[in-house]
Amino acid sequence: MVINDGIQLTVTITLFILSYIFYKINVSFCCFFILVAVFTTRNTPVNLAGMALERYIAICKPLRYTQICTVRRTYIVIGLIWFIIVAPDITDLFITLATEPLSFFHESVFCLRQNVFKDPILAQKRNSFDIIYFSCVFLTLVFTYLKIMFAARALSTVNTSAQKARNTILLHGIQLSMCLLSYISPSVEIVLQIIFPGRILEIRYANYLIVYILPRFLSPIIYGVRDKKFRTYLRILFYENSRYIMFICMVVNDALQLTLVTSLYVISYIFRKIHLSV
């Protein structure tokens, strides 16, 4: 998931920068950027659903966990996830190659999916698969996390342990729910364009931050900081080595800076003018 999110952020940020600098880019490059962005964006929720199933097996079926969740089967599941994600959308490229003239791929366009894969059938296919992905991942989320929560409540003899389990489940659910927004964001974007005409750039920018950046920001918090072993090593590093103490101060400083600057950008795009004291 970390590799997938790293590729997704690199490709989408590069595409944003190129779009702002050149406005229009070559169709062939645009096809590559869009397909990689679509694959990695759709991969994250499905991957999280797979991780939810793994946690369900570990907690609800602990005696069979080592038999079911082997390393070999994990790689097979990862390959299956990529196949499920890639297969439906790679057909967009083949259909475009078959229906568009070769000269089209030498033109320059503003890099949006609908500007490259223009066939109306592709849009209908995309919406259909979005509904399928959304439904399957959402049902997986509800089923596994309810099962885990009930199992944690039933097996935990200490109330604090059950509370920690519920908090962990809640964080997983929030992250997965935010990732699921990527399935409905195109429809939400169209509605927002109707409500706020002439604000398309601001809507896309805010949509990108909320739907694509924020869920990836939560991953290191959920899977890193909450891990006991990881916290133990962090405590040793940052209490015994002055270099790491200065490093963590810089990280906290940069995190505050990015949070404030990004918030200011979003607020300025939405409201244009804000109160002087704020």
Side-chain angles (χ1 to χ4, degrees), residues 4 9 25 45 47 77 86 107 124 161 177 183 186 191 232 275:
N4 177 80
L9 290 174
I25 62 176
N47 203 356
V77 170
V86 171
E107 298 177 2
Q124 296 176 8
S161 299
S177 299
Y183 294 146
V191 174
T232 302
H275 194 271

Side-chain angles (χ1 to χ4, degrees), residues 24-35:
K24 293 183 178 181
I25 62 176
N26 182 267
V27 172
S28 301
F29 286 108
C30 182
C31 286
F32 171 77
F33 282 120
I34 287 178
L35 287 176

Side-chain angles (χ1 to χ4, degrees), residues 86-105:
V86 171
D89 288 300
I90 200 67
T91 56
D92 291 4
L93 179 61
F94 295 145
I95 294 174
T96 303
L97 287 170
T99 56
E100 297 289 342
L102 188 60
S103 58
F104 172 71
F105 293 91

Side-chain angles (χ1 to χ4, degrees), residues 65-83:
Y65 177 78
T66 55
Q67 298 176 346
I68 298 175
C69 298
T70 62
V71 175
R72 181 174 178 274
R73 288 182 177 179
T74 302
Y75 284 123
I76 293 174
V77 170
I78 292 173
L80 182 63
I81 289 174
W82 273 99
F83 175 78

